Amino acid sequence: MGKSRAHQPYVKRPSPLQQVHSTRPLSQLPEANENQAAPPANDLVRDPQFWKRLSTAVHRAEVTKDVERGSQMSGTTNSTLNDEWLAQQHREKRHCRVLCASISGVVLVFVIATAVVGWYFTKVRKN
């Protein structure tokens, strides 16, 4: 058995939330770079289409490298390859949405069935 704490004085400890430390690297702290201005806290991209445009640009660069290496299939152009890639991305996105919707539907049906069975056994079976 453990020791009883009944005769020990109460010690107020700091909250765990007060012990959280900043995860910013020291090189980015204002004290470390006194001659440089601190970067703004909101370094996030605000444009919602940014990542789509970025991935399209990266893919175009990859296709251009493939074309320069001579690995392009005969009869296909850069825009055709890009259109095929975008169509594949749309198919994958649609597949993900359908999968998420079907899983959500199954969970919803399970919750409703559990509620109906619970209601049946609590209300109907008492009579």
Side-chain angles (χ1 to χ4, degrees):
M1 254 222 126
K3 294 182 180 181
S4 173
R5 293 177 36 162
H7 300 295
Q8 295 178 358
Y10 176 75
V11 178
K12 185 172 181 169
R13 293 181 178 87
S15 167
L17 296 176
Q18 292 175 345
Q19 297 174 1
V20 174
H21 299 287
S22 173
T23 58
R24 242 167 113 181
L26 290 176
S27 61
Q28 291 184 356
L29 291 176
E31 301 87 34
N33 298 330
E34 292 176 4
N35 57 350
Q36 296 177 349
N42 297 339
D43 287 341
L44 300 175
V45 177
R46 299 217 182 259
D47 184 11
Q49 294 295 319
F50 170 78
W51 295 112
K52 181 178 179 180
R53 286 195 310 266
L54 178 68
S55 65
T56 304
V58 168
H59 178 70
R60 284 182 183 162
E62 290 174 353
V63 168
T64 304
K65 286 180 186 176
D66 288 344
V67 169
E68 290 173 357
R69 288 187 205 140
S71 65
Q72 180 184 16
M73 296 180 286
S74 62
T76 59
T77 62
N78 190 9
S79 63
T80 306
L81 291 175
N82 191 36
D83 292 341
E84 291 172 4
W85 179 78
L86 282 175
Q88 178 190 3
Q89 295 300 311
H90 288 297
R91 280 192 303 272
E92 289 176 3
K93 194 174 192 178
R94 192 178 324 120
H95 175 73
C96 181
R97 285 180 180 164
V98 168
L99 184 65
C100 290
S102 61
I103 290 173
S104 299
V106 168
V107 169
L108 183 65
V109 166
F110 178 74
V111 168
I112 290 173
T114 304
V116 168
V117 168
W119 174 79
Y120 176 77
F121 281 114
T122 57
K123 300 290 182 186
V124 177
R125 296 284 295 211
K126 286 184 179 180
N127 294 333

